[in-house]
Amino acid sequence: MRVACVDVGSTDTKCAVVDTATGAVLASLSAPTTVETDVLDGVDALLAAAGPVAGVYCCSSAGGGLRLAVVGFEELVSAEAARRVALTAGARVVGCFAGRLDTAAVRALRASRPDVVLLAGGTDGGDGDTIRHNAGRLAAARWRVPVVVAGNRDARDEITALLGARGMPVAAAGNVLPRIGVVEPGPARAAIRELFLAHVIGGKRLSRGPRFGRLVTAATPDAVLSGVEVLARAVGGDLLVVDVGGATTDVYSALQPREQAPDAVAGTLWQARTVEGDLGVRWNVDGVHDAAARERVALAAGAGPLELAAAAVTVAVRRHARGGRDLRHVVSVIASGGVFRHADPAAARAALGPVLHDHAGGWALPRDPRTAVDASYVLAAAGLLAADHPAAAAGLCAVLAHAQ
């Protein structure tokens, strides 16, 4: 049957019509997001152009996407593990706090304007005093921001009850760091998604009624990471995806599990995402030029979109790799984003050249990866379909895995 996979971005809304029997893309449509009126105006126009469909799957990053703040116990352990998990959940991390919150820290946390707070701290059976203290400070702040509790399991029920009694939307999840060196993103990622859908997407005032909130099932980066996981299985090796947008550049990597470094106390995420909020080819052009200058990446003053994208990708991948990602075994590099989709295919793939030959970046380069462009919005669509139509998601990614 035909289904529509819709991605509502801050700039453009995209729609891929997919045959769930084969995973074939039957149509790819795009139009500016109608944020000035109602985002559903643009969505409905694309659905009308797509023709009859049996179902609609939708993700959104409009209105700034999901803003999330992290509160943990130790900066380099539980807080770092929680920050990584937040990124895999499709969030933009707007603040990261470690240790016992004091008045100044609570003030800074509130000033970061998160949509959701991820409260972590303590391994299971370990320290529970810090996360209890921090929960108490949040409860006393009379601030009804949604909270995901994903720390020491011995304190979880007590904290959930405390925050709920203060009228704060709260969801309990498994510990993001149950043991030193072991990070478990799945439960917290699911809880973040639950709160995003229930309390955040409707609060962005993107649409006048409740229908948009019912339609959206994921934040766009969350859906894309799910698609990246499906694509990695189709590729059969380490995968790197770069997604250049108007405001940010996201980097996703899916690595084959290997023995992790002995000093990886915050654990290793084999599927990970980083987001660079200063690198965009429309709203953050100045940020690309500034970052390129700091990193000594060549970029002319009047550079065009693809040149800007190449510089943004180079800087973003350097940052991603410096965060502890070993990309030496990457066999496939996929470019996503409108700047690549709307360019000549050969030119778009050529724009990946600088990052694949970035010997000045201080990171070990992939040996001989193949490159491709996600020209049909496959990754978001595959992520949206992965749960209900896994064969269709696999079929979508199989085509991209072998695209030239």
Side-chain angles (χ1 to χ4, degrees):
M1 61 182 179
R2 290 164 47 98
V3 297
C5 298
V6 180
D7 172 11
V8 183
S10 295
T11 304
D12 293 320
T13 297
K14 288 81 68 179
C15 176
V17 180
V18 179
D19 181 344
T20 59
T22 64
V25 176
L26 305 177
S28 292
L29 309 166
S30 178
T33 299
T34 51
V35 290
E36 69 283 355
T37 57
D38 186 314
V39 292
L40 282 178
D41 294 342
V43 171
D44 288 339
L46 286 179
L47 291 176
V53 293
V56 178
Y57 294 79
C58 185
C59 57
S60 175
S61 60
L66 170 59
R67 297 170 59 88
L68 190 144
V70 168
V71 179
F73 176 30
E74 293 179 319
E75 181 178 0
L76 297 179
V77 187
S78 65
E80 174 60 17
R83 185 189 69 84
R84 296 177 186 175
V85 169
L87 288 168
T88 69
R92 177 183 177 188
V93 178
V94 295
C96 192
F97 302 83
R100 290 175 173 249
L101 294 174
D102 56 17
T103 300
V106 172
R107 188 179 301 118
L109 174 61
R110 187 191 291 266
S112 69
R113 298 184 296 109
D115 297 314
V116 175
V117 171
L118 176 57
L119 180 60
T123 56
D124 288 340
D127 175 82
D129 293 339
T130 300
I131 191 171
R132 289 187 178 95
H133 168 87
N134 290 340
R137 293 305 300 255
L138 291 176
R142 300 189 180 188
W143 181 38
R144 294 189 176 182
V145 62
V147 178
V148 171
V149 181
N152 189 332
R153 68 184 177 191
D154 296 336
R156 187 183 309 142
D157 292 345
E158 173 189 341
I159 290 171
T160 302
L162 170 65
L163 298 178
R166 294 300 179 93
M168 302 175 73
V170 60
N175 197 341
V176 295
L177 193 77
R179 302 186 303 280
I180 292 296
V182 177
V183 60
E184 294 186 356
R189 182 177 169 187
I192 292 169
R193 184 186 303 119
E194 174 187 323
L195 289 183
F196 171 73
L197 297 176
H199 299 282
V200 177
I201 193 66
K204 295 284 186 180
R205 298 183 179 179
L206 300 169
S207 183
R208 289 182 291 273
R211 179 173 156 238
F212 184 61
R214 294 195 300 265
L215 194 64
V216 174
T217 58
T220 297
D222 186 20
V224 172
L225 183 59
S226 294
V228 167
E229 293 167 354
V230 177
L231 178 59
R233 292 193 288 271
V235 167
D238 289 4
L239 171 68
L240 180 67
V241 175
V242 292
D243 187 357
V244 179
T248 69
T249 295
D250 294 1
V251 180
Y252 303 80
S253 57
L255 311 180
Q256 299 294 307
R258 299 180 179 88
E259 183 177 354
Q260 66 181 21
D263 59 348
V265 293
T268 299
L269 283 175
W270 301 111
Q271 291 82 34
R273 165 184 174 257
T274 52
V275 56
E276 307 303 337
D278 60 332
L279 305 177
V281 295
R282 183 170 182 179
W283 311 115
N284 276 327
V285 171
D286 289 344
V288 177
H289 281 280
D290 291 345
R294 288 194 301 271
E295 292 277 352
R296 298 184 180 180
V297 173
L299 182 62
L306 275 180
E307 290 81 9
L308 285 167
V313 167
T314 301
V315 173
V317 172
R318 285 184 182 184
R319 294 174 180 175
H320 186 84
R322 289 169 184 163
R325 306 298 287 173
D326 183 355
L327 305 179
R328 289 176 297 172
H329 306 289
V330 165
V331 298
S332 187
V333 179
I334 307 295
S336 186
V339 65
F340 292 113
R341 294 187 186 107
H342 299 147
D344 173 78
R349 291 177 60 203
L352 296 175
V355 72
L356 298 179
H357 302 90
D358 182 29
H359 295 287
W363 60 287
L365 301 180
R367 295 182 178 89
D368 187 27
R370 58 176 294 279
T371 60
V373 174
D374 179 14
S376 300
Y377 322 121
V378 162
L379 287 172
L384 287 169
L385 295 176
D388 291 347
H389 302 284
L396 284 169
C397 289
V399 174
L400 182 58
H402 299 96
Q404 298 296 322

